Amino acid sequence: MSATLMIGTFSETDSAALQDAFDPVAVSSPSDIAGLDIAIRDGISAVAFKGHSPFGAAEMDMLPGLGLIANYGVGYDAIDIEAATARNIRVTNTPDVLNDDVADLAVAMLLATGREMEHASAWARTGKWKAQGEYPLNRKVSGGKVGIVGLGRIGREIADRLAGFKMDIHYFARSEKETPGWSYHSDPVSLARAVDYLVVALVGGKETEKFISGAVIEALGPQGIVVNISRGTTIDEGALLDALETGGIAGAGLDVFLNEPDIDPRFYALDNVVIQPHQGSGTHETRAAMAALQRDNIAAFRQGAALKTPVN
Ligand code: 8YV
């Protein structure tokens, strides 16, 4: 028998489509695999995975017939790729289909933070506009200097959008790209020093942990705004909170956090932070495309065809 295991919390639509296509067994998290009967575990050859709970060697070893983990998401930092490769388990992800939405949200957070839109909205809603008059002046975003940390597919979409806002584009990447007019920085401190806005579009995982360090945040300075649409792990969150609380930087627009959704309550007390509940790819259109790509990868695996978007 060759069965599929669905791991995670899927929307009703995505779940129904997976049921129709593969009639899977379902659990909420990789840590639930241990609770499945051995006979069921032995029959699993493909996993449809969604979420950010760790999927490591121990969980893989409980599924001896596993050949594929099809991840719902471009980021696969929750999955131990080295352990999967060592066990001949292929991993796929859902790149590209979410670039637009994630880039849109990054730009929205940059504008919302810079133009103090949450404050300004509260000013109107709580009657201050009527009672106290015009909202205090804030800052011009168009034409500013922005640094993109990670010029991959999503980073590039963000940079292209911000070029439309007449911004001076700087970036950090592992190597310089063919980007006439944009300024390359080989280290993030130099990048942060050169700009007013820093947008983090790195991949997650051990290699990029705390890449945006206290030193980078300090280099950005009191006028600086940080936007993060990558993973909570890419920023030294303690250093970020300290800087936000003490005026070390001006503000932040954050879609991702450590320990989400149980995020550090210090964030809730800050009025210079725009908080989004990791909703970068969360539109009907994009989530449908991500789910379809995940199913296509499973179908390809079942047919012995080439995987659509392999990771390893
Ligand atoms: C998640 C994401 O997949 O693609 C990614 O890497 O972070 C998101 O799109 C989504 O939150 C579902 O877990």
Side-chain angles (χ1 to χ4, degrees):
M1 200 187 78
S2 190
T4 299
L5 174 64
M6 219 172 113
I7 304 179
T9 308
F10 288 79
S11 73
E12 261 178 50
T13 320
D14 295 346
S15 176
L18 278 169
Q19 293 293 343
D20 275 0
F22 309 110
D23 191 21
V25 178
V27 295
S28 306
S29 158
S31 58
D32 299 330
I33 294 173
L36 292 170
D37 283 350
I38 290 193
I40 292 179
R41 283 197 252 140
D42 285 352
I44 303 291
S45 56
V47 164
F49 182 52
K50 180 175 179 211
H52 305 280
S53 308
F55 194 155
E59 290 78 25
M60 295 174 198
D61 285 340
M62 282 184 255
L63 304 169
L66 188 61
L68 175 73
I69 300 171
N71 187 48
Y72 181 107
V74 64
Y76 44 81
D77 45 306
I79 303 168
D80 185 337
I81 301 296
E82 218 172 282
T85 306
R87 288 161 180 74
N88 258 331
I89 299 169
R90 306 290 307 277
V91 178
T92 58
N93 65 344
T94 60
D96 292 322
V97 293
L98 44 59
N99 296 353
D100 282 338
D101 278 349
V102 178
D104 287 355
L105 195 79
V107 173
M109 289 196 297
L110 187 84
L111 290 169
T113 311
R115 299 304 310 272
E116 302 175 4
M117 288 177 72
E118 287 203 11
H119 260 163
S121 178
W123 185 267
R125 285 174 190 275
T126 59
K128 284 191 179 160
W129 188 11
K130 198 168 157 203
Q132 297 181 34
E134 274 188 8
Y135 182 71
L137 303 183
N138 45 81
R139 64 196 278 170
K140 181 168 178 175
V141 176
S142 274
K145 292 182 183 161
V146 65
I148 314 289
V149 188
L151 205 68
R153 290 174 280 222
I154 293 174
R156 208 172 259 261
E157 287 290 342
I158 295 168
D160 283 343
R161 280 162 174 70
L162 294 178
F165 285 80
K166 298 172 232 160
M167 295 188 90
D168 184 9
I169 311 286
H170 296 243
Y171 68 96
F172 163 87
R174 269 179 298 223
S175 59
E176 192 166 358
K177 316 272 180 196
E178 277 289 312
T179 50
W182 298 358
S183 308
Y184 173 65
H185 296 256
S186 59
D187 95 277
V189 170
S190 134
L191 174 72
R193 208 172 278 132
V195 301
D196 311 309
Y197 304 93
L198 202 63
V199 182
V200 188
L202 292 165
V203 293
K206 284 263 169 289
E207 271 178 31
T208 56
E209 221 169 275
K210 295 191 181 172
F211 191 82
I212 306 301
S213 60
V216 175
I217 292 166
E218 199 185 324
L220 188 61
Q223 293 304 313
I225 285 179
V226 173
V227 169
N228 190 9
I229 47 81
S230 61
R231 287 289 183 265
T233 50
T234 59
I235 297 187
D236 181 337
E237 201 172 272
L240 176 68
L241 278 161
D242 289 347
L244 286 164
E245 285 169 353
T246 58
I249 59 169
L254 306 169
D255 188 42
V256 287
F257 301 83
L258 292 181
N259 306 319
E260 54 188 53
D262 188 16
I263 72 173
D264 193 318
R266 287 167 72 190
F267 281 112
Y268 299 129
L270 287 164
D271 65 2
N272 52 351
V273 181
V274 170
I275 298 175
Q276 294 294 296
H278 197 155
Q279 66 127 336
S281 66
T283 65
H284 292 295
E285 295 86 346
T286 291
R287 287 291 169 86
M290 290 163 70
L293 188 47
Q294 181 184 48
R295 290 194 302 276
D296 287 350
N297 275 304
I298 300 173
F301 170 75
R302 293 250 171 270
Q303 289 153 18
L307 299 173
K308 303 277 174 199
T309 45
V311 167
N312 64 349

